[in-house]
Amino acid sequence: MNFEININSETPKYQQLVNAINNELANNRLTSGDALPSVNAVCKSLQLSRDTVFKAYSVLKEHGVIESVPNKGYYVANETRKVLLLLDTFKAYKEVLYHSFVNNLPENVITDIQFHHYNIDNFKTIINNSKGKYYKYVVMTFDNKEVAEVLSDIDDSKLLLIDWNVHAKKNNNFVFQDFGKSFYTTLKEATPAFQKYKKIILVYPVFTHHPIETVKYFKSYCKEAGFNFDIITNPKEFIIKKNEAYISVSDRVLGFFLEQCRSNNYEPGTDVGFLSYNETPMKQFIYKGISVISTDFKVLGAKAASFVSEEARIQEYIPTKLILRDSL
């Protein structure tokens, strides 16, 4: 084992040693039962203090990566591998993705889940602090020009991008949904339901992080299908009217819609229509059922898990589907 310590790095020396050992494990150069160099041997070869090496070994032991045997030294513990799952936020449909992901992983894989909340400083901190600590990285990116550079140090074979194709390169592994053409195709399937309304309105709030390409394909669909349409970006201007159908990328707007239906005595699916983005476990039970356009987050999670458990390259789009219920 050839460990290197960069004395000019901002990463503490003990953490560099932790990262180096984790990296050896991730690349199968260390396996269960292998002996690690003694504390004295590491001190001598890397010119580190005993406290530094002991701290690194203590961190690895605390995480279950290594174990110590009295009078014999340190050994690699059972072959447990850690994976970073970095999501944007934890919403109901992300919970479906998460549970599908962890339930399809081998028993020896531990998942650390973190959230960047679309904040580039959070994203940088999480990624930079995680480099070298994980067997593989499953990352949901977002639209910021710095994201690609932050991820550039992670080996392509260890990195999987999920959900939105905003920073993918030719060599990246990915499992995406399509917010453009697939959305357009799904709207075409809903045409018979839309035809009973005089106008279709897309509610696309200014605070949303939903991909803007959805707006482009919504306009194309309405123009080609001959529907009157509008786009609302300010939720305060969202006032429902009879004989109009609404498409929303925000579940907050779904709440506003149902409140106004009750106040105006409108029947969803008859007087007004509603089509929501992203299926959640509860939408089939809300009112008489909310129609949705959604990818299958259970499949997305399972595909991401297959990237972790297998060594095969993956570049795949999960289809977007229409689920018609009484709201439309």
Side-chain angles (χ1 to χ4, degrees):
M1 292 177 290
N2 296 316
F3 301 146
E4 294 184 1
I5 299 296
N6 181 1
I7 60 173
N8 297 316
S9 174
E10 294 181 359
T11 304
K13 293 177 183 177
Y14 83 88
Q15 187 62 58
Q16 291 187 54
L17 183 55
V18 169
N19 294 349
I21 292 172
N22 278 325
N23 195 52
E24 294 293 294
L25 286 164
N27 288 286
N28 295 316
R29 291 190 287 267
L30 277 176
T31 59
S32 179
D34 285 350
L36 293 177
S38 69
V39 172
N40 288 337
V42 177
C43 290
K44 184 176 180 180
S45 64
L46 297 180
Q47 298 182 327
L48 297 173
S49 70
R50 284 183 59 83
D51 286 346
T52 297
V53 179
F54 186 74
K55 184 173 183 179
Y57 279 11
S58 296
V59 169
L60 290 165
K61 187 176 178 181
E62 182 182 343
H63 290 169
V65 177
I66 66 173
E67 55 190 14
S68 60
V69 179
N71 302 318
K72 289 189 177 181
Y74 294 90
Y75 295 82
V76 177
N78 292 331
E79 199 170 349
T80 299
R81 290 176 168 174
K82 293 180 70 177
V83 173
L84 175 65
L85 176 63
L86 179 54
L87 303 181
D88 46 18
T89 56
F90 198 69
K91 297 181 179 178
Y93 56 92
K94 304 292 174 56
E95 186 174 4
V96 174
L97 187 160
Y98 169 74
H99 285 296
S100 176
F101 179 70
V102 297
N103 289 338
N104 282 282
L105 290 174
E107 292 184 359
N108 68 325
V109 176
I110 299 172
T111 302
D112 281 353
I113 182 169
Q114 298 198 51
F115 305 93
H116 56 67
H117 300 285
Y118 303 100
N119 183 297
I120 189 60
D121 291 328
N122 287 348
F123 188 83
K124 287 179 181 178
T125 298
I126 293 168
I127 293 297
N128 290 334
N129 288 343
S130 71
K131 289 176 181 176
K133 296 182 183 179
Y134 294 95
Y135 170 58
K136 288 188 177 178
Y137 302 77
V138 179
V139 178
M140 188 174 287
T141 62
F142 60 107
D143 190 10
N144 186 288
K145 62 182 179 181
E146 297 183 62
V147 166
E149 179 62 27
V150 175
L151 294 173
S152 62
D153 289 340
I154 300 176
D155 190 296
D156 285 338
S157 66
K158 298 182 182 301
L159 175 64
L160 176 71
L161 305 181
I162 60 171
D163 196 46
W164 183 18
N165 182 4
V166 64
H167 291 295
K169 299 179 293 185
K170 183 173 70 173
N171 294 327
N172 281 140
N173 293 285
F174 61 77
V175 180
F176 291 143
Q177 59 173 310
D178 180 5
F179 294 93
K181 292 181 180 179
S182 189
F183 171 64
Y184 171 86
T185 301
T186 309
L187 288 179
K188 289 181 70 174
E189 292 179 31
T191 297
F194 284 133
Q195 285 175 337
K196 58 185 172 183
Y197 302 102
K198 294 180 179 179
K199 191 174 186 180
I200 306 175
I201 292 104
L202 174 66
V203 188
Y204 186 86
V206 290
F207 56 74
T208 187
H209 292 279
H210 190 94
I212 191 66
E213 60 204 86
T214 295
V215 176
K216 170 187 171 183
Y217 280 91
F218 168 74
K219 291 179 179 178
S220 295
Y221 164 72
C222 290
K223 290 176 181 177
E224 291 178 18
F227 285 112
N228 291 325
F229 70 93
D230 200 359
I231 298 169
I232 296 175
T233 58
N234 184 353
K236 293 180 180 179
E237 298 175 357
F238 178 63
I239 300 173
I240 67 173
K241 297 178 181 178
K242 200 169 184 177
N243 298 320
E244 291 185 347
Y246 302 89
I247 303 172
S248 177
V249 300
S250 167
D251 284 347
R252 293 190 212 176
V253 173
L254 172 58
F256 300 156
F257 171 81
L258 293 174
E259 286 177 4
Q260 292 186 46
C261 282
R262 183 173 56 188
S263 299
N264 292 287
N265 199 28
Y266 288 162
E267 180 70 16
T270 302
D271 300 313
V272 288
F274 197 90
L275 179 60
S276 180
Y277 221 107
N278 295 321
E279 171 73 316
T280 66
M282 290 304 297
K283 284 182 181 175
Q284 61 179 309
F285 303 112
I286 295 174
Y287 195 70
K288 296 179 182 179
I290 304 300
S291 297
V292 295
I293 284 180
S294 183
T295 194
D296 191 326
F297 290 99
K298 188 174 181 179
V299 172
L300 198 157
K303 290 289 184 180
S306 72
F307 167 77
V308 174
S309 57
E310 303 169 8
E311 294 301 324
R313 179 179 173 82
I314 183 170
Q315 292 186 331
E316 189 166 337
Y317 277 86
I318 307 300
T320 300
K321 295 181 179 180
L322 172 70
I323 304 175
L324 274 178
R325 299 185 179 120
D326 286 354
S327 70
L328 193 64

